[in-house]
Amino acid sequence: KATMSSNSSQQPSWLWPSVALLGGSALAYMLGRASSSPSSTEALIMQELRELKRQQQRLQRSTASSAASAAADAAGGVVEESALRRSGSAEELLAGDEVLAQLQKMAAENKRLQRLVDLHEATHALDSESAKDQSRGALTPAEVETMRVIFDQYDENKNGCIEIGSLKKLHKRMGEPLTDDEARAAMRSLDPDNKGEVSFQEFLNWWYQTHRGRTKNDTYTKRFKLISAKLQHSDFDVSRVVTKAVGDKQEFRVMFNYKQRNGTLRRISPWHDIPLLSVGSSGQGSRIFNMVVEIPKWTRAKYEIATGEEFNPIKQDTKNGQLRFYKHGDMAVNYGAFPQTWESPDHIPPQTGFPGDNDPIDVLEIGTRQLKTGEIVQVKVLGVLALIDDKETDWKVIAINIHDVLAVRLNDIDDVERELPGIIHHIREYLRNYKSYSGQFNSYALRGEALSRDEAHKVIMETHEQWKSLRDSKRTTVGSEAKTDE
C-alpha cells in the first residue's frame, strides 16, 4: 500500500498511462486493464507467460546449437572458404538479426505480461482491503455517494452543509430515525463549537465512528437502510434490464429487454426507456446518473447506440460499408452515453457556437475497471469538455462509476487532476487527434477547458430537455432511418 502511494505526483503527465511508471492514484487507474474476474485473468496471463518462455527457450537452444556447430567445424578445420563466405553473407546475417529481434520482442512482451500480473495482484489486494472495511461496517463507495445525494437534499443554503436542526430529518429519511436523546448526543458530537451546521465529511466521519466495529449482520440491522431510502427518479429498475448480443460483423447488435414482474421480457430502447437519473433530482446538488456503456476501455471497436434503428440497439459503427475501429490507439476510458439526452442539430449552445451532433451526450468513465458493452452503470459527473467535431458540438462528460474505489475521492474536476494527474490532458489530446490518420483534427470550444461538475450538470439537463422535445414529437429514431412512434 505504501509502495502504491509513493511518488504519484512526480510522474510526468506525458508518460500517462505507461504501465511501467505508474504511481499513486494513477496505478489504481490502470488496474482496470485486468479483468474483474481474478481467477480467469490470472490463468490467462500465466498461460501467455509460459508460452512466451517456451518460445524463448526454443529460440535460445536453436541459436546456441548453431553457434556450437559452427565453432566445432571451425576448430576441426572443416569450414571451407565458401562456407565462411556464406556464413558472412547478408542473408545469414539478416536471419541472425531476425532471431535477435524475435528474442527482444518476446522479452518485452514477457515484461508487459508480468506487469499485468502485478497489476492484477494489486487490484485483488485493493478489493480484499475494501471487503474487510465493509465487513467492519464501513460504507461502500456506492453507499457513500447515495448518502451524499440524500444529504444534499437538506442543504438548503447550497454551501455543502446542513443545519444541525435537520439532522433528525436526515436520519429519518435514511431509514434510521433518532430519538430526542440520540439527536442531542449527535448534535453535541457533530457541533461542539455551536456553529449551527455540519458538513458532509463531518457527518460521514461521525456516522462511521458510531457504526464501526459491528459485525456484518449487525450492520445490516443498524446501519442506514440506503437501498430503501434511495431517491429513485422513476419506477424503472435497471437491475431488471437483460442484454443479448446477436449477429456478427455488420449485423452485430446488443439488444435490450426488460424483465417484467410477471417474468416476461419486453423489448426496450437503451436511449429512450432507461431513465437519465438514478438518484437525485433535476435541481441543484449531487446526482447519480445512469450510463449506458458502449466501448469498454482498452478496446478499439467503435460501438454506439443505433439512433437510426428501431429500439436503438448498440451496434458497431461503419463507414463506406466497413466496420470502424479507433486507429489512434485503444480507448483508455469506458466510453458510453447518457440515456434520455439528445444534442439537437437545431440547437446551438452559446458556449460553442455550433449545432449539436444529433446523438445522445457522450460519457467518459475514468474508473479502474473495464466495463462491458451494454452495461448500465451508475456514475457521478465530474466535469465536461466542449469538443467540436466536424463543425458540430459533441460534449464529452467526464464521470466516475460510484462503485469504483476512487469514487469517494473524486467529486469535481479539480479532484481528477489531483488524484489522476495527466488524465484530462490525455483525454483532451486523444479526442483531438484520433482522426489524424486521415489528416483530420478536432478542436475545442472554451479553449479546451474542462468545466466543473455544476457546469456539466447544466449541459446534461439541457440535452435532457432537448430529448424531451424529441420524445414529444413522437420520434424514436433520428437520421436517415428515422421513424415516428405512432
Side-chain angles (χ1 to χ4, degrees):
K1 187 171 180 181
T3 301
M4 289 191 292
S5 64
S6 64
N7 298 327
S8 64
S9 62
Q10 299 176 12
Q11 305 297 349
S13 60
W14 60 269
L15 287 173
W16 188 93
S18 171
V19 179
L21 296 172
L22 290 175
S25 297
L27 171 62
Y29 182 82
M30 289 296 293
L31 297 180
R33 186 132 194 181
S35 169
S36 59
S37 173
S39 58
S40 60
T41 301
E42 188 168 7
L44 179 62
I45 292 174
M46 296 308 298
Q47 180 180 348
E48 292 190 44
L49 278 172
R50 286 193 294 270
E51 178 59 28
L52 275 172
K53 289 178 179 178
R54 283 195 292 269
Q55 292 181 30
Q56 282 184 294
Q57 290 168 355
R58 286 196 296 269
L59 274 170
Q60 289 168 344
R61 284 196 298 269
S62 175
T63 304
S65 175
S66 298
S69 177
D73 289 345
V78 180
V79 179
E80 299 177 355
E81 182 179 353
S82 60
L84 287 171
R85 285 198 299 270
R86 284 197 303 274
S87 69
S89 67
E91 289 79 3
E92 292 201 2
L93 286 172
L94 181 60
D97 289 342
E98 289 176 351
V99 170
L100 179 62
Q102 289 185 45
L103 284 171
Q104 292 173 337
K105 183 178 179 181
M106 287 182 179
E109 184 68 8
N110 195 330
K111 290 180 180 178
R112 185 187 72 83
L113 289 172
Q114 187 60 55
R115 288 197 295 269
L116 288 181
V117 171
D118 295 341
L119 289 170
H120 166 73
E121 291 175 349
T123 304
H124 187 65
L126 280 176
D127 289 344
S128 298
E129 184 177 341
S130 177
K132 289 178 181 177
D133 286 342
Q134 291 165 32
S135 70
R136 294 192 295 265
L139 290 166
T140 66
E143 289 171 327
V144 171
E145 295 312 316
T146 303
M147 183 187 291
R148 190 192 306 275
V149 171
I150 301 173
F151 182 92
D152 280 358
Q153 305 306 308
Y154 296 90
D155 180 9
E156 297 178 358
N157 297 322
K158 305 304 176 186
N159 63 351
C161 298
I162 63 170
E163 294 181 357
I164 203 71
S166 299
L167 186 62
K168 283 189 68 174
K169 296 178 183 178
L170 175 62
H171 258 263
K172 184 177 180 180
R173 186 68 185 87
M174 289 183 169
E176 192 178 55
L178 298 175
T179 65
D180 290 340
D181 289 341
E182 289 172 333
R184 283 191 290 270
M187 290 176 189
R188 287 193 298 270
S189 177
L190 280 166
D191 188 27
D193 299 327
N194 294 317
K195 294 181 298 183
E197 62 182 18
V198 58
S199 70
F200 176 71
Q201 192 60 52
E202 290 170 334
F203 175 77
L204 189 63
N205 291 342
W206 170 81
W207 184 91
Y208 179 69
Q209 292 299 327
T210 59
H211 289 72
R212 68 184 303 180
R214 297 179 178 176
T215 64
K216 190 65 175 177
N217 289 336
D218 189 40
T219 298
Y220 273 124
T221 59
K222 298 293 186 181
R223 78 199 296 186
F224 295 115
K225 299 172 184 177
L226 291 169
I227 296 177
S228 62
K230 280 184 178 180
L231 305 179
Q232 295 290 348
H233 199 63
S234 73
D235 294 331
F236 190 96
D237 183 358
V238 295
S239 67
R240 290 178 171 269
V241 175
V242 180
T243 59
K244 182 180 181 180
V246 298
D248 188 27
K249 297 181 179 179
Q250 281 86 345
E251 295 299 315
F252 174 81
R253 298 291 186 273
V254 176
M255 312 301 292
F256 287 74
N257 291 279
Y258 189 79
K259 189 79 168 181
Q260 301 181 102
R261 297 191 182 280
N262 63 5
T264 62
L265 292 175
R266 173 172 62 89
R267 179 66 54 83
I268 63 170
S269 161
W271 183 17
H272 299 298
D273 294 321
I274 296 171
L276 169 62
L277 284 167
S278 172
V279 181
S281 66
S282 58
Q284 293 183 341
S286 298
R287 279 164 268 186
I288 297 174
F289 296 84
N290 288 315
M291 169 190 175
V292 179
V293 179
E294 296 167 320
I295 307 170
K297 66 191 301 185
W298 313 126
T299 65
R300 299 190 183 192
K302 192 177 185 302
Y303 292 114
E304 63 182 15
I305 292 174
T307 59
E309 296 184 14
E310 187 177 12
F311 289 111
N312 317 115
I314 291 178
K315 68 172 185 178
Q316 187 170 355
D317 191 22
T318 59
K319 186 174 183 178
N320 299 324
Q322 299 298 312
L323 295 173
R324 292 187 66 186
F325 295 85
Y326 284 101
K327 297 181 181 180
H328 193 62
D330 290 355
M331 181 62 64
V333 296
N334 293 298
Y335 193 99
F338 279 148
Q340 296 187 348
T341 63
W342 182 46
E343 295 189 60
S344 171
D346 296 326
H347 174 71
I348 300 179
Q351 305 97 316
T352 67
F354 291 96
D357 68 350
N358 206 27
D359 281 324
I361 195 168
D362 295 324
V363 189
L364 285 65
E365 194 278 326
I366 61 174
T368 62
R369 294 289 186 184
Q370 183 186 60
L371 304 176
K372 298 178 181 178
T373 299
E375 191 172 353
I376 303 169
V377 182
Q378 285 67 57
V379 302
K380 62 176 177 178
V381 167
L382 304 171
V384 67
L385 289 164
L387 183 73
I388 306 301
D389 185 347
D390 198 19
K391 297 183 179 180
E392 293 179 332
T393 298
D394 190 5
W395 293 104
K396 303 296 182 182
V397 177
I398 299 171
I400 181 78
N401 181 354
I402 66 168
H403 296 278
D404 198 272
V405 293
L406 293 177
V408 295
R409 299 162 67 181
L410 301 176
N411 296 301
D412 214 323
I413 198 66
D414 62 323
D415 299 325
V416 178
E417 190 58 39
R418 183 185 66 252
E419 298 293 337
L420 300 171
I423 183 176
I424 296 175
H425 174 77
H426 170 84
I427 291 171
R428 184 188 293 114
E429 295 309 305
Y430 183 94
L431 295 174
R432 189 198 305 274
N433 298 314
Y434 78 91
K435 295 182 179 179
S436 60
Y437 73 92
S438 61
Q440 300 180 48
F441 296 88
N442 293 326
S443 61
Y444 287 93
L446 306 172
R447 295 179 289 277
E449 178 187 3
L451 302 181
S452 69
R453 180 199 74 165
D454 288 347
E455 290 296 326
H457 281 176
K458 291 177 184 177
V459 170
I460 296 166
M461 299 318 296
E462 286 173 2
T463 63
H464 182 53
E465 292 301 317
Q466 293 165 40
W467 170 81
K468 287 181 180 179
S469 69
L470 179 70
R471 177 197 59 187
D472 293 344
S473 69
K474 305 297 183 182
R475 295 166 63 193
T476 58
T477 59
V478 295
S480 59
E481 301 174 9
K483 300 178 181 179
T484 58
D485 185 16
E486 296 292 351

